[in-house]
Amino acid sequence: MSANVQKNRMTRRVLAAAAGLATMGALVAAMPAGAQDRGHGHGHGHGHGHGHKPRTVDVQLLSFNDLHGNLEPPAGSAGNVSETQPDGTVKAIPAGGVEYLATSLRTARKGNPYSVTAAGGDMVGASPLLSGLFHDEPTIEALNKLDLDVTAVGNHEFDEGATELARLQNGGCHPVEGCYEKGKKFKGADFPYLAANVTKEKTGKPLLKPYTVWKKNGVKIGFIGVTLEGTPDIVTANGVKGLKFHDEVETINKYARELDRKGVKSIVALIHEGGAPASTSYNYDCDSPGAGDGISGPIVDIAKGITPKVDALVTGHTHQAYVCTVPDPSGKPRMVTSASSFGKLYTDTTLTYDRRTNDIVRTSVKSANHIVTRDQPKAADMTSLIGRWNKLAAPIANKPQGWISADINGRGSTALEKPLGNVIADAQLEGLAPADKGGAEVAFMNPGGIRADLVHKASGSEGDGVVTYGEAFTVQPFTNMMNVVDLTGAQLVAALQQQVSGSNEASPKILQISRGLTYTLDLKKTGAARVVTDSIKLNGEAIDPARTYRVAMNEFLAGGGDGFPALGQGTNKLVGASDLDVFNAYLAAHSSATAPLAPPATDRITVVQ
């Protein structure tokens, strides 16, 4: 969920791979398409016919969040949805992929003349190679075909900065790389991106539209979109340069009042912030009354503070699945939903619209999450889109980087110490340990930067166990430059404590650590005390608070990102190769077809629960 991004990531990558992508055609001068006001929705279906209109009409709200450019079905455990069975056991069901998401949404719309489709942010960013290599143009094109009506921005929409976000909205070819297909200019999103709580520092004006109004046959529903106020803490400084991020509740309440004054009484908030339900099963009853049941996390307080004028909340960011009610400030229950991530689920919410009051009858709001199963027909237009872009990506994507003997789980692992996290940290240490490369003694990797698993089963024609460039890229899509810095032992200890304290106390972010570093994490304690300081050892020796250590990490962490200010205090910085380059070099050095890399042991952090 964290973003750790380098402003020149795409430029570096495409320049390095220019030879392989010669087929993309000549650079074409980009002319920005005019931004249009597109607040009228797609109006799927045919209305209720002529004559007397009934007082109420059911509006179908379809929603999803955190797609992250996953056009193809996500591989391995990251592509599974947990479902609790009638006997209490939990089953993993493969889900996702836009070919199936399109079919699911189109099927759901049938028989619903009033249907609107909305998203909760992070549609792009941290994307697999198929989308990321082309600055996420393929994903915007897919969302247009999906008939998305509106989305909030998420933190990842800022990965490449405000100018690139504006291009995704308005169209025009990339300013450096031009157009990817000869004779075709990128058209941009035909749905509005909403960013109500993001303003330009110089003018104080909103960066994008704060809200839009969907209309059909006199039915009007306002959508307000916000990202989390903490976006600057989880995106590199360059991505949010010149922007200010405001309080989610204050912003939504302000624009709800404005919509209300304009006669728009039915309002949905799209919020790129979320929570954690007590169960990871998508069909968990979030409103169960048992002890420890329900939902926790930032969205609970946000929901409790948002004006009763708002009728439903579509959320995201935490990649969780939930359909919950949280009381509004007047004490009335209000629906709060999230559809996991990567297009694996969609939410179907029924909003009963009263034509006399122009408002939603809140007591009749119903909602449920549905799995985007892979046993339904694929949408032919999405299959064609994926094939077209895959052809352009193939010269780079299919190049083998190494071999593995079994799945090495990263994103799909629920453990605090992840097998793939260890591989990545070891790769960074090895790549930056030589004196001329920085002399690193230890390496740290942020868990949110690991975007997928390394999966043994072949994704294409490469064969089982082969790790392609495309697969490695999907794990580490940010192309962050590696940094090696001086940190004191005291600062190292402080950084480990910041995993479970400060801004990370409520939702710990456990750094993935290179071999040689060991310590105990006691989850029975609270805050910084969870890190047992006298257990921290490097190569068997206690950390000396006064000694200086050379520490390797990506530039996002080295900037203090993800709530690690201690890591931002490093001095004597040396900039190395990109994280993806050191990862691929490690795979090449430690694996072959006859001796593939095995999943490493996870014995560096001793967890006491």
Side-chain angles (χ1 to χ4, degrees):
M1 287 153 285
S2 324
N4 47 342
V5 193
Q6 165 65 16
K7 63 175 178 177
N8 293 325
R9 67 184 181 109
M10 287 300 311
T11 309
R12 281 199 298 271
R13 185 183 321 125
V14 173
L15 287 176
L21 289 175
T23 55
M24 282 189 185
L27 299 181
V28 178
M31 288 182 64
Q36 298 170 37
D37 188 308
R38 309 177 180 92
H40 298 286
H42 297 279
H44 313 291
H46 303 289
H48 278 199
H50 305 289
H52 178 70
K53 287 182 179 175
R55 174 163 173 178
T56 63
V57 58
D58 281 350
V59 177
Q60 178 189 54
L61 171 62
L62 299 175
S63 57
F64 58 97
N65 51 278
D66 296 276
L67 181 65
H68 290 288
N70 278 264
L71 301 180
E72 294 176 296
S77 54
N80 289 337
V81 168
S82 295
E83 180 181 68
T84 300
Q85 305 302 298
D87 65 359
T89 58
V90 177
K91 184 178 173 186
I93 300 174
V98 292
E99 294 160 297
Y100 303 113
L101 180 61
T103 299
S104 289
L105 294 176
R106 289 164 186 170
T107 302
R109 288 172 189 145
K110 285 175 184 168
N112 289 284
Y114 292 82
S115 184
V116 56
T117 304
D122 275 6
M123 294 295 98
V124 302
S127 306
L129 187 86
L130 176 61
S131 187
L133 189 64
F134 306 107
H135 292 275
D136 283 311
E137 289 181 23
T139 297
I140 298 296
E141 186 184 334
L143 292 170
N144 288 344
K145 288 178 185 291
L146 275 180
D147 281 343
L148 182 63
D149 287 302
V150 56
T151 184
V153 294
N155 52 290
H156 281 278
E157 262 84 20
F158 294 93
D159 281 358
E160 293 187 53
T163 305
E164 175 62 6
L165 174 54
R167 187 183 77 88
L168 289 180
Q169 176 73 84
N170 300 324
C173 296
H174 193 271
V176 176
E177 287 147 41
C179 298
Y180 294 114
E181 296 176 290
K182 198 170 182 179
K184 277 192 184 178
K185 190 175 83 169
F186 175 57
K187 291 176 181 166
D190 64 12
F191 51 89
Y193 259 115
L194 304 181
N197 65 331
V198 186
T199 56
K200 298 174 188 172
E201 276 180 352
K202 280 184 181 172
T203 63
K205 290 181 177 169
L207 175 69
L208 295 168
K209 287 173 68 166
Y211 60 80
T212 191
V213 180
W214 179 89
K215 301 173 187 171
K216 185 171 183 198
N217 297 342
V219 173
K220 292 188 292 188
I221 300 179
F223 288 88
I224 303 167
V226 297
T227 186
L228 67 154
E229 186 183 7
T231 291
D233 301 329
I234 52 175
V235 176
T236 51
N238 203 64
V240 293
K241 197 173 178 183
L243 302 176
K244 200 164 181 191
F245 292 76
H246 303 270
D247 182 83
E248 304 94 338
V249 175
E250 287 173 16
T251 303
I252 291 168
N253 290 351
K254 170 187 165 183
Y255 286 111
R257 285 193 298 273
E258 189 171 310
L259 282 166
D260 188 55
R261 282 198 303 271
K262 290 182 173 183
V264 179
K265 308 292 183 185
S266 298
I267 303 171
V268 175
L270 308 174
I271 307 171
H272 192 70
E273 178 61 291
S279 164
T280 55
S281 290
Y282 89 95
N283 57 341
Y284 164 66
D285 179 4
C286 202
D287 292 336
S288 322
D293 275 342
I295 184 172
S296 58
I299 198 62
V300 178
D301 287 337
I302 290 171
K304 286 178 178 174
I306 289 173
T307 171
K309 292 181 196 297
V310 175
D311 299 296
L313 277 54
V314 171
T315 73
H317 187 56
T318 56
H319 291 204
Q320 301 294 312
Y322 48 85
V323 173
C324 304
T325 56
V326 176
D328 70 14
S330 71
K332 290 179 183 160
R334 178 169 51 194
M335 199 61 78
V336 180
T337 67
S338 174
S340 184
S341 63
F342 301 170
K344 294 181 289 190
L345 296 177
Y346 71 92
T347 313
D348 189 336
T349 302
T350 302
L351 302 172
T352 301
Y353 184 92
D354 186 327
R355 290 182 182 277
R356 198 173 296 169
T357 62
N358 297 327
D359 206 349
I360 300 300
V361 184
R362 281 259 295 276
T363 51
S364 65
V365 174
K366 296 183 211 54
S367 193
N369 275 327
H370 301 278
I371 301 180
V372 176
T373 60
R374 298 183 196 168
D375 57 3
Q376 59 186 320
K378 294 180 179 181
D381 56 341
M382 294 299 177
T383 304
S384 168
L385 179 151
I386 288 169
R388 215 178 78 234
W389 289 102
N390 261 334
K391 198 172 172 184
L392 289 177
I396 297 173
N398 298 338
K399 197 175 171 194
Q401 302 298 311
W403 289 262
I404 55 174
S405 64
D407 289 0
I408 305 180
N409 286 344
R411 191 78 193 181
S413 167
T414 55
L416 298 178
E417 181 185 347
K418 304 171 193 304
L420 190 50
N422 287 359
V423 172
I424 291 170
D426 287 351
Q428 294 179 350
L429 176 62
E430 185 169 298
L432 298 151
D436 62 335
K437 297 284 194 291
E441 299 167 83
V442 63
F444 291 133
M445 174 64 192
N446 55 310
I450 306 167
R451 304 303 302 187
D453 302 334
L454 278 186
V455 179
H456 185 262
K457 187 174 170 17
S459 59
S461 58
E462 77 276 10
D464 289 352
V466 178
V467 180
T468 64
Y469 183 88
E471 290 165 341
F473 178 96
T474 299
V475 169
Q476 294 221 271
F478 298 111
T479 320
N480 265 314
M481 301 313 287
M482 290 303 302
N483 288 184
V484 187
V485 298
D486 282 350
L487 286 172
T488 64
Q491 288 167 326
L492 268 186
V493 171
L496 291 174
Q497 290 172 328
Q498 285 161 5
Q499 301 176 112
V500 288
S501 63
S503 62
N504 293 330
E505 179 157 6
S507 182
K509 287 195 179 83
I510 304 303
L511 294 165
Q512 305 300 288
I513 55 178
S514 55
R515 69 165 62 92
L517 184 63
T518 55
Y519 70 95
T520 297
L521 195 60
D522 187 347
L523 297 180
K524 291 178 178 172
K525 295 183 175 164
T526 55
R530 291 169 177 166
V531 174
V532 182
T533 49
D534 59 8
S535 73
I536 306 170
K537 292 188 167 74
L538 183 59
N539 301 320
E541 290 185 12
I543 295 287
D544 178 352
R547 196 197 130 189
T548 295
Y549 295 84
R550 292 292 283 165
V551 184
M553 63 193 112
N554 61 49
E555 60 196 326
F556 170 68
L557 274 181
D562 258 0
F564 290 99
L567 296 181
Q569 295 167 356
T571 56
N572 194 19
K573 179 167 79 173
L574 184 141
V575 178
S578 76
D579 52 7
L580 182 60
D581 285 348
V582 298
F583 183 50
N584 283 332
Y586 185 85
L587 290 173
H590 291 270
S591 69
S592 66
T594 53
L597 182 69
T602 49
D603 54 4
R604 300 170 189 183
I605 305 171
T606 302
V607 181
V608 178
Q609 328 229 32

